[in-house]
Amino acid sequence: HRSKAEQIRQAGLDLQTADSLAREETNLPDAIRYYNDALSKLSKKEDAPYFADAETGLALCYLKQAQKNNDQQAAQQAVDGLNEVVGLLTSLYGKNPKSAERVKLSRLFNAQGESLSVLSEIKEKVPYLEHCIDLYTEALKTSLGQRDPELSATIQMNLGFSYMRLAEEKDRLINSNLALAADQEALKHFTPRDYPLQ
């Protein structure tokens, strides 16, 4: 028991270091190393919440790399890691996740969509964009809407972007209208005064 507790403590320290490093783009390789160190000390079954946190952090680092460099391998690593975490947390939370758990799942679905969006720029556009749209729609269903307006608006913005890119490939009018509707929803929260960049 003592050695297991020490392992979890060490993994926790690795996670804290990795989370801190992941904030800076230049430190991503070091953050990835620390997330992998944490994962090597954790059991997916016995330490599921910690394992999910480490796997999520690692996947988000890969996503940042993919977005910066249009990197197919990093995007696929992000997708694979996020798929694993969603599966793990879905089984852990059950059918009726609590508010904080729903927000976590919503963020994961959104990140999965962002990862597939990078892949859609490198591989076949249409199937990847359609999958992105499914994931953003699932993220919106899982999110808490008005109780987390910034997250909901971010997902709506990503959804609108995916529909707009899909409109370039097929069903131009339908997908453009869907993009417009999603962006109008995002603008209900992303007001010029409060969120000028968005």
Side-chain angles (χ1 to χ4, degrees):
H1 291 299
R2 277 188 199 150
S3 68
K4 183 61 180 173
E6 178 59 21
Q7 247 183 323
I8 289 175
R9 190 184 76 75
Q10 286 295 326
L13 292 173
D14 288 338
L15 265 172
Q16 286 176 350
T17 304
D19 288 345
S20 177
L21 288 167
R23 292 186 190 109
E24 292 293 326
E25 205 171 270
T26 54
N27 296 330
L28 287 180
D30 289 329
I32 288 170
R33 185 169 49 82
Y34 275 101
Y35 282 125
N36 279 317
D37 286 348
L39 286 168
S40 72
K41 297 175 178 108
L42 297 168
S43 159
K44 184 177 173 182
K45 187 176 179 181
E46 295 169 15
D47 312 312
Y50 300 116
F51 188 93
D53 286 347
E55 188 70 54
T56 300
L58 180 62
L60 293 178
C61 284
Y62 285 134
L63 174 57
K64 287 178 187 175
Q65 283 186 332
Q67 289 169 325
K68 181 183 177 199
N69 305 317
N70 222 19
D71 182 336
Q72 179 179 339
Q73 183 181 354
Q76 190 61 58
Q77 288 172 301
V79 169
D80 293 343
L82 291 165
N83 286 345
E84 184 174 15
V85 174
V86 167
L88 181 63
L89 292 183
T90 302
S91 66
L92 198 65
Y93 296 160
K95 291 183 180 180
N96 297 310
K98 297 174 186 164
S99 294
E101 295 166 346
R102 287 181 62 192
V103 168
K104 191 178 243 186
L105 284 171
S106 186
R107 288 184 191 283
L108 287 169
F109 290 134
N110 185 59
Q112 281 180 303
E114 290 177 331
S115 302
L116 287 173
S117 181
V118 174
L119 285 176
S120 75
E121 293 173 14
I122 303 164
K123 293 184 164 188
E124 303 170 64
K125 277 190 181 179
V126 172
Y128 281 97
L129 288 171
E130 289 174 339
H131 195 181
C132 287
I133 289 166
D134 291 341
L135 286 165
Y136 294 136
T137 303
E138 189 61 34
L140 285 170
K141 285 183 201 169
T142 311
S143 76
L144 298 174
Q146 295 298 326
R147 290 170 54 196
D148 195 343
E150 188 175 351
L151 174 60
S152 295
T154 298
I155 298 166
Q156 289 283 6
M157 188 172 64
N158 288 338
L159 182 62
F161 181 65
S162 293
Y163 273 126
M164 205 60 235
R165 289 186 57 218
L166 190 59
E168 295 167 5
E169 305 297 321
K170 68 177 219 175
D171 301 328
R172 188 179 197 92
L173 184 60
I174 293 168
N175 287 316
S176 295
N177 281 327
L178 291 168
L180 183 60
D183 287 341
Q184 286 172 332
E185 281 299 313
L187 285 170
K188 289 179 182 177
H189 305 292
F190 285 150
T191 61
R193 184 175 56 91
D194 295 333
Y195 297 98
L197 182 62
Q198 286 86 342

